[in-house]
Amino acid sequence: AKLIIQDLSRNTLYHWKNTGLKVFRVDQTQEIKGLNDAVKLLRVGDIGVFFFHSYHAFGVIGDQQAVGSNMPLVYTIELTKIVNL
């Protein structure tokens, strides 16, 4: 998936062009809850914009880099591929 993560002022914190495509197993990895739930709503080629309260994102601690503590986030997700394993 292509992810763009922004704060509520729409300042970009992470962009897939810098971090690469996100590859993960839905419900089988340590991904944030909001991301797992959001991807289930998309089909390949869909782009969704999701607003996550901090407890569905990086929680009380943040990610110790760009995401602060208790920070709600805006995720723009483009689902590029699904692989059934």
Side-chain angles (χ1 to χ4, degrees), residues 12-40:
T12 300
L13 306 174
Y14 294 105
H15 195 288
W16 70 270
K17 289 181 181 177
N18 298 325
T19 59
L21 296 177
K22 182 71 172 170
V23 178
F24 64 97
R25 291 182 179 195
V26 174
D27 292 335
Q28 296 180 11
T29 61
Q30 296 291 329
E31 295 304 324
I32 66 166
K33 179 174 176 24
L35 182 57
N36 274 308
D37 293 343
V39 168
K40 292 177 194 177

Side-chain angles (χ1 to χ4, degrees), residues 1-4 15-17 20-22 48 76-80:
K2 295 178 181 177
L3 298 179
I4 301 171
H15 195 288
W16 70 270
K17 289 181 181 177
L21 296 177
K22 182 71 172 170
T76 302
I77 304 168
E78 180 180 350
L79 189 60
T80 56

Side-chain angles (χ1 to χ4, degrees), residues 2-15 32 34-35 38 48-54 56-58 67 71-77:
K2 295 178 181 177
L3 298 179
I4 301 171
I5 303 173
Q6 300 171 308
D7 62 20
L8 292 183
S9 297
R10 301 304 291 259
N11 298 306
T12 300
L13 306 174
Y14 294 105
H15 195 288
I32 66 166
L35 182 57
V49 178
F50 300 89
F51 296 85
F52 297 138
H53 189 281
S54 62
H56 281 142
F58 288 91
V67 178
M71 190 175 200
L73 298 172
V74 179
Y75 270 64
T76 302
I77 304 168

